[in-house]
Amino acid sequence: MKNGFLANLPISLSVFAYGIVLGSICNTKNIDYLQLMLMNIFIFAGSSQFVIVDMLSSNLSLTTIIGSAILVNMRYFLKGTTLDKLFLNSSIKQKLLIMHFVTDESWAITMKSMKEKDINVYFLLGGSLCIFLSWILGTSIGYFFAELIIEPKNYGLDFTFYAMFIAILTTMYKSKNDFLTFFVTAIIAIILEKLLGNSIYILISAILGSFFSLIINKKARNE
């Protein structure tokens, strides 16, 4: 757990930064601190929390809000399948608890570490808790100091969300096939987002991108 925690500290700075943005948005949209903390604890997914907060101020139905959040988070089903080796000796309760805290960041660091050294599921948990604490701290500061962060762009906070995913991609880049997968998946996502107009494009583009990766890697092995 300690090793996982320390391995995620660098990227947790980005999580802390865009947590500040969410906290300040919640303050300006009259979402109280308790509601924000309950979202952090029971949802704990930055992208879907941004979606939820935006939708709450648009007077949309609860069904629409919940459905959109689920669609955004369905990528974790795909990510969960890549962690099966770590969970071989874990009970259902352990799997549910640990997967609740898994984030894009802790997943990426764990996947990278699995290729380089022998780790267990507690490495994943330690990294996820590091991200969780950074998120709690960032959203709290953003909420209570919202008046000082009226324009996140002035502090570069609007770019931290993108910077974090760029950092994740660079840690996972190994060959030109990886670059092709990233590029094709991004193009698919952009097209589907325009065509579909809702969050289902995230799941579909991830699945199509995964199939593309399988095809080009299989072709590379056969050559």
Side-chain angles (χ1 to χ4, degrees), residues 148-163:
L148 302 178
I149 318 172
I150 297 175
E151 288 293 337
K153 292 182 180 179
N154 294 339
Y155 306 95
L157 295 176
D158 59 318
F159 184 69
T160 54
F161 190 77
Y162 305 102

Side-chain angles (χ1 to χ4, degrees), residues 2-188:
K2 177 184 176 182
N3 290 338
F5 191 97
L6 294 176
N8 279 265
L9 271 179
I11 204 167
S12 71
L13 296 177
S14 291
V15 175
F16 170 78
Y18 75 83
I20 291 176
V21 177
L22 178 66
S24 63
I25 291 174
C26 286
N27 184 299
T28 57
K29 292 185 179 293
N30 296 318
I31 294 174
D32 63 46
Y33 184 67
L34 176 60
Q35 291 173 321
L36 171 59
M37 286 301 105
L38 289 174
M39 274 200 297
N40 286 345
I41 294 170
F42 292 106
I43 299 175
F44 184 46
S47 52
S48 64
Q49 286 182 242
F50 273 101
V51 169
I52 291 170
V53 169
D54 183 60
M55 286 185 164
L56 283 174
S57 61
S58 302
N59 296 319
L60 296 173
S61 69
L62 187 60
T63 302
T64 301
I65 295 174
I66 293 174
S68 298
I70 289 174
L71 288 176
V72 171
N73 285 339
M74 286 204 54
R75 68 189 187 279
Y76 286 107
F77 282 100
L78 297 174
K79 291 183 175 181
T81 62
T82 65
L83 298 169
D84 58 333
K85 292 182 180 179
L86 288 184
F87 285 107
L88 284 178
N89 299 315
S90 302
S91 66
I92 293 296
K93 288 183 179 180
Q94 287 176 317
K95 291 176 182 177
L96 290 174
L97 175 64
I98 295 174
M99 279 305 300
H100 174 69
F101 287 101
V102 170
T103 63
D104 296 310
E105 301 82 12
S106 61
W107 170 81
I109 297 297
T110 298
M111 292 300 295
K112 181 175 182 292
S113 299
M114 283 173 65
K115 298 177 181 178
E116 300 172 349
K117 52 192 172 184
D118 184 29
I119 61 173
N120 59 33
V121 72
Y122 293 105
F123 180 96
L124 174 64
L125 178 59
S128 299
L129 291 177
C130 174
I131 302 300
F132 177 69
L133 292 176
S134 298
W135 185 244
I136 292 289
L137 183 60
T139 53
S140 297
I141 290 176
Y143 188 88
F144 289 113
F145 294 93
E147 294 181 358
L148 302 178
I149 318 172
I150 297 175
E151 288 293 337
K153 292 182 180 179
N154 294 339
Y155 306 95
L157 295 176
D158 59 318
F159 184 69
T160 54
F161 190 77
Y162 305 102
M164 183 222 24
F165 280 104
I166 292 171
I168 289 176
L169 286 178
T170 56
T171 62
M172 302 184 72
Y173 178 83
K174 299 297 180 184
S175 68
K176 65 178 182 180
N177 284 347
D178 292 327
F179 175 79
L180 284 173
T181 300
F182 299 157
F183 180 77
V184 169
T185 306
I187 295 299
I188 293 172

Side-chain angles (χ1 to χ4, degrees), residues 175-218:
S175 68
K176 65 178 182 180
N177 284 347
D178 292 327
F179 175 79
L180 284 173
T181 300
F182 299 157
F183 180 77
V184 169
T185 306
I187 295 299
I188 293 172
I190 292 171
I191 294 172
L192 290 180
E193 193 272 339
K194 299 297 183 182
L195 293 176
L196 301 177
N198 60 54
S199 301
I200 191 66
Y201 80 91
I202 296 174
L203 179 64
I204 297 175
S205 58
I207 293 173
L208 293 177
S210 298
F211 276 117
F212 177 80
S213 179
L214 285 172
I215 293 170
I216 62 173
N217 282 298
K218 184 177 180 179

